[in-house]
Amino acid sequence: MSQLGGRCCPILGGGPAVNGPRRAEIHPQSRRQLAHFRSPRLWRAMASREPFKGKATQNQWEKLFLDCTRRYTSDLSIFGKTPVRFFCSISSSRVQDNRFVRHSSEGETELPSYTWPDNQVLLVDQSDQFVFKPMLYELLSGEVDDWEIAPSFTDLLKNTSVQFVKDRVKFIRPLDHLNHIEMGELGRSCSGGLVHLESGIIIEYDWSLPQCSRLVLALGAEAKLDVVPGSAEYAFPFLTLEDARKVNSKLTTLERQRFGKDSPPIHVAIVGCGYSGVELAATISERLEDRGIIQAINVETTICPNAPPGNREAALRVLQSRKTQLFLGYFVSCIKEVSASEDSVGMTRIGEEMSIDAKNHRNKFILELQPAQRGLESQILEADIVLWTVGCKPVIPHLDPFDQSNTFPLNGRGQAETDETLRVRGHPRIFAIGDSAALRDSSGKLLPATAQVAFQQADFAGWNLWAAINDRPLLPFRFQKLGEMMTLGRNDAAISPSFIESLTLEGPLGHAARKIAYLLRLPTDEHRIKVGISWLTKSVVDSVASLQSTVTKVISGS
């Protein structure tokens, strides 16, 4: 995912002072640099590591904490997106001279420097825009503009040494499996692998080289549309910026066609009632109001089955208030386009007769629903647009077809199996995060492929890349669930923080909290400031317009 590569760029580090006669003192050159030393999440993870064995436990822990206060950079080289999605390769960047000292009874001594080697940073992606996917729904409601959640890489990187190249990955050739590592130790091989781009560029990565290059798989997921007949041909996925633009364009076209009061309503079918399907249903139902009929289909007997109860109940109330039709306990068996020769009179939807003028409405679709639960009957739905939110598949970049020894350990979902330090098993020089990584928690349960998990993995991957360069201990990934959020409209959302049990923020308060949380997740300080000012201005304008409308109604009523 593009936003996952973006989240890899800031490497978080730093550490607390060690109690006792010794402490680490850091002298950053600016307040902004000081922020790079602070990452409570990483320090909590370090604290959860197994204690050192032997008598020197305290001294070893103290040394580890002190050494972790070294300054490192936040610039990396990322190679994103294969022809089907993306992957990332991360290399090092420049460092600045910071002063590190240790105070002890013997006086002040300067600590050794652990840095990123000085090297050019390169970002390669098949798209020229960074996309913040959690806010794609706001494009449909008109709350945000494209530039706010999809800024160009050129704008984001203009004040950095990072170079951006728009290209696509053809295939990769990793050479770091065990036999190559053994050869490298004997001095017969020093290459970690090769990245072949479609433009013909070949990139070599290996941390034994002066460049200290790294390879990180940060692939996104693509919609799994070939599930039922007709889904790939007629359904719209909703995963990328291009998908959101297509859906918005289709809705705009339908709104213009059905502008008159006597026009038939717009039928929108949404397959899947997980978070994505429910957020789409809430957003589109608010946008169309009485001009549309939203039909949401889910194989489960409830919406958002894995969501906190507070979020699920808030979403149900919103959907019911907007007269969204829920078909729970059903799965779609087929999607067909209505042809001019097809006579659809007499097909039934919720006990009502449904007729289609095929000559005038060629772009209507029929969804055949089959019951997934006992006691339900088959249904046939009519729709002007079908949105598909069920099923995603991670994408691993193609391997060199002429090297049969190269393999990635994949699980049943197609994700690369990783160890607790986020390195691909059997490939110690390749890291994987986000949708491309299959990582289990301490209980053995596979971590969900969510943005929250990917954000945290990016922090740990950045740290472990730095640690690998400087021969420091790698941190095991520890996921901390912070809560769950969902949008329910232009001024409505639901948030269930994990640190306060049974608390759910709903309505305008939840909406404001969600936007603030996501504002802080946007890339670069400069972009966050621009977007924050834009959102604040829009909020003021909307408030003034609402006040004027209320005053006008009061005056006209009196």
Side-chain angles (χ1 to χ4, degrees), residues 89-155:
S89 172
I90 301 180
S91 70
S92 56
S93 143
R94 69 182 184 279
V95 295
Q96 300 178 359
D97 294 330
N98 288 313
R99 180 167 173 258
F100 302 92
V101 297
R102 173 182 295 161
H103 295 278
S104 67
S105 58
E106 300 175 355
E108 182 179 290
T109 59
E110 186 173 356
L111 296 175
S113 175
Y114 296 99
T115 62
W116 292 95
D118 190 11
N119 186 41
Q120 181 60 55
V121 181
L122 182 66
L123 166 64
V124 181
D125 195 286
Q126 75 171 20
S127 172
D128 56 4
Q129 290 175 291
F130 171 96
V131 182
F132 191 75
K133 294 185 177 180
M135 298 196 74
L136 286 176
Y137 310 98
E138 277 78 352
L139 286 178
L140 302 183
S141 64
E143 289 183 76
V144 302
D145 298 322
D146 283 14
W147 70 268
E148 295 173 343
I149 64 168
S152 67
F153 286 120
T154 303
D155 291 338

Side-chain angles (χ1 to χ4, degrees), residues 27 32 52 98 104 112-113 212 228 243 252 302 313 339 375-376 397 401 410 431 463 481 495 503-504 532 549:
H27 298 271
R32 184 174 182 179
F52 288 101
N98 288 313
S104 67
S113 175
C212 291
V228 301
D243 294 338
T252 301
T302 183
E313 293 169 3
S339 63
L376 299 176
L410 305 180
F431 290 79
W463 173 272
K481 189 171 184 178
I495 299 180
L503 174 64
T504 301
S549 177

Side-chain angles (χ1 to χ4, degrees), residues 8-139:
C8 285
C9 289
I11 301 179
L12 306 182
V18 179
N19 295 327
R22 299 181 182 180
R23 64 184 177 89
E25 183 173 327
I26 303 170
H27 298 271
Q29 295 179 351
S30 68
R31 290 180 178 272
R32 184 174 182 179
Q33 291 179 4
L34 181 61
H36 289 284
F37 296 98
R38 299 171 178 170
S39 181
R41 185 187 311 145
L42 292 183
W43 287 102
R44 285 193 294 268
M46 292 176 63
S48 67
R49 292 173 64 95
E50 182 178 353
F52 288 101
K53 308 293 184 182
K55 297 181 180 180
T57 298
Q58 180 62 32
N59 292 335
Q60 287 175 320
W61 267 114
E62 184 174 325
K63 183 178 184 298
L64 176 60
F65 280 124
L66 288 170
D67 289 343
C68 288
T69 60
R70 308 302 197 277
R71 176 72 166 94
Y72 59 87
T73 64
S74 62
D75 295 331
L76 300 175
S77 171
I78 304 170
F79 298 91
K81 283 193 177 181
T82 64
V84 281
R85 266 307 171 247
F86 20 58
F87 93 103
C88 296
S89 172
I90 301 180
S91 70
S92 56
S93 143
R94 69 182 184 279
V95 295
Q96 300 178 359
D97 294 330
N98 288 313
R99 180 167 173 258
F100 302 92
V101 297
R102 173 182 295 161
H103 295 278
S104 67
S105 58
E106 300 175 355
E108 182 179 290
T109 59
E110 186 173 356
L111 296 175
S113 175
Y114 296 99
T115 62
W116 292 95
D118 190 11
N119 186 41
Q120 181 60 55
V121 181
L122 182 66
L123 166 64
V124 181
D125 195 286
Q126 75 171 20
S127 172
D128 56 4
Q129 290 175 291
F130 171 96
V131 182
F132 191 75
K133 294 185 177 180
M135 298 196 74
L136 286 176
Y137 310 98
E138 277 78 352
L139 286 178

Side-chain angles (χ1 to χ4, degrees), residues 303-448:
I303 65 171
C304 300
N306 298 321
N311 281 11
R312 182 166 56 250
E313 293 169 3
L316 272 173
R317 286 194 295 270
V318 169
L319 295 181
Q320 290 171 356
S321 67
R322 296 173 188 171
K323 300 179 180 180
T324 300
Q325 299 174 358
L326 297 177
F327 293 84
L328 303 179
Y330 286 94
F331 66 91
V332 178
S333 61
C334 180
I335 302 176
K336 298 187 298 182
E337 185 178 17
V338 176
S339 63
S341 61
E342 185 175 357
D343 182 10
S344 59
V345 178
M347 288 188 291
T348 304
R349 173 175 50 82
I350 322 179
E352 299 177 359
E353 185 180 67
M354 175 182 65
S355 62
I356 299 176
D357 185 350
K359 294 183 179 180
N360 297 329
H361 303 286
R362 290 181 178 269
N363 291 328
K364 282 188 175 290
F365 306 98
I366 299 300
L367 288 80
E368 297 181 2
L369 307 187
Q370 298 297 327
Q373 306 290 333
R374 292 183 178 179
L376 299 176
E377 297 181 356
S378 301
Q379 298 277 356
I380 296 179
L381 304 184
E382 167 196 352
D384 296 292
I385 178 174
V386 181
L387 304 180
W388 193 270
T389 67
V390 177
C392 297
K393 53 183 179 181
V395 182
I396 298 295
H398 298 296
L399 299 179
D400 186 352
F402 300 104
D403 188 354
Q404 300 299 325
S405 64
N406 281 327
T407 59
F408 276 125
L410 305 180
N411 66 355
R413 300 181 182 179
Q415 299 169 303
E417 293 279 0
T418 64
D419 61 20
E420 61 178 3
T421 63
L422 302 176
R423 291 183 296 183
V424 177
R425 297 188 184 278
H427 296 273
R429 300 180 186 180
I430 301 179
F431 290 79
I433 62 175
D435 293 313
S436 60
L439 183 63
R440 300 183 183 276
D441 58 20
S442 57
S443 64
K445 183 179 180 181
L446 191 67
L447 292 175

Side-chain angles (χ1 to χ4, degrees), residues 49-287:
R49 292 173 64 95
E50 182 178 353
F52 288 101
K53 308 293 184 182
K55 297 181 180 180
T57 298
Q58 180 62 32
N59 292 335
Q60 287 175 320
W61 267 114
E62 184 174 325
K63 183 178 184 298
L64 176 60
F65 280 124
L66 288 170
D67 289 343
C68 288
T69 60
R70 308 302 197 277
R71 176 72 166 94
Y72 59 87
T73 64
S74 62
D75 295 331
L76 300 175
S77 171
I78 304 170
F79 298 91
K81 283 193 177 181
T82 64
V84 281
R85 266 307 171 247
F86 20 58
F87 93 103
C88 296
S89 172
I90 301 180
S91 70
S92 56
S93 143
R94 69 182 184 279
V95 295
Q96 300 178 359
D97 294 330
N98 288 313
R99 180 167 173 258
F100 302 92
V101 297
R102 173 182 295 161
H103 295 278
S104 67
S105 58
E106 300 175 355
E108 182 179 290
T109 59
E110 186 173 356
L111 296 175
S113 175
Y114 296 99
T115 62
W116 292 95
D118 190 11
N119 186 41
Q120 181 60 55
V121 181
L122 182 66
L123 166 64
V124 181
D125 195 286
Q126 75 171 20
S127 172
D128 56 4
Q129 290 175 291
F130 171 96
V131 182
F132 191 75
K133 294 185 177 180
M135 298 196 74
L136 286 176
Y137 310 98
E138 277 78 352
L139 286 178
L140 302 183
S141 64
E143 289 183 76
V144 302
D145 298 322
D146 283 14
W147 70 268
E148 295 173 343
I149 64 168
S152 67
F153 286 120
T154 303
D155 291 338
L156 293 177
L157 304 175
K158 63 182 179 181
N159 295 324
T160 70
S161 63
V162 180
Q163 292 185 0
F164 171 70
V165 176
K166 186 176 180 180
D167 206 335
R168 296 169 63 153
V169 177
K170 186 176 182 180
F171 64 86
I172 65 173
R173 186 185 181 190
L175 302 174
D176 62 348
H177 29 301
L178 296 177
N179 60 322
H180 286 277
I181 293 177
E182 295 170 356
M183 292 175 64
E185 292 175 350
L186 296 174
R188 288 176 286 180
S189 174
C190 62
S191 178
L194 301 174
V195 179
H196 293 252
L197 304 181
E198 287 192 349
S199 62
I201 297 174
I202 300 177
I203 302 167
E204 182 178 7
Y205 66 91
D206 178 58
W207 57 47
S208 66
L209 298 177
Q211 301 95 303
C212 291
S213 299
R214 295 296 186 274
L215 178 64
V216 175
L217 300 178
L219 293 80
E222 64 179 1
K224 195 173 182 180
L225 290 174
D226 55 349
V227 179
V228 301
S231 57
E233 294 83 1
Y234 306 126
F236 286 87
F238 198 81
L239 280 178
T240 67
L241 178 63
E242 292 73 19
D243 294 338
R245 286 172 173 170
K246 290 179 181 178
V247 172
N248 186 57
S249 176
K250 179 64 175 179
L251 289 174
T252 301
T253 301
L254 291 172
E255 287 173 319
R256 290 173 180 173
Q257 293 175 351
R258 314 287 176 85
F259 182 74
K261 292 183 179 180
D262 298 331
S263 299
I266 301 170
H267 289 81
V268 180
I270 300 176
V271 183
C273 288
Y275 267 119
S276 182
V278 170
E279 289 178 293
L280 273 175
T283 301
I284 296 176
S285 62
E286 182 184 53
R287 169 174 171 168

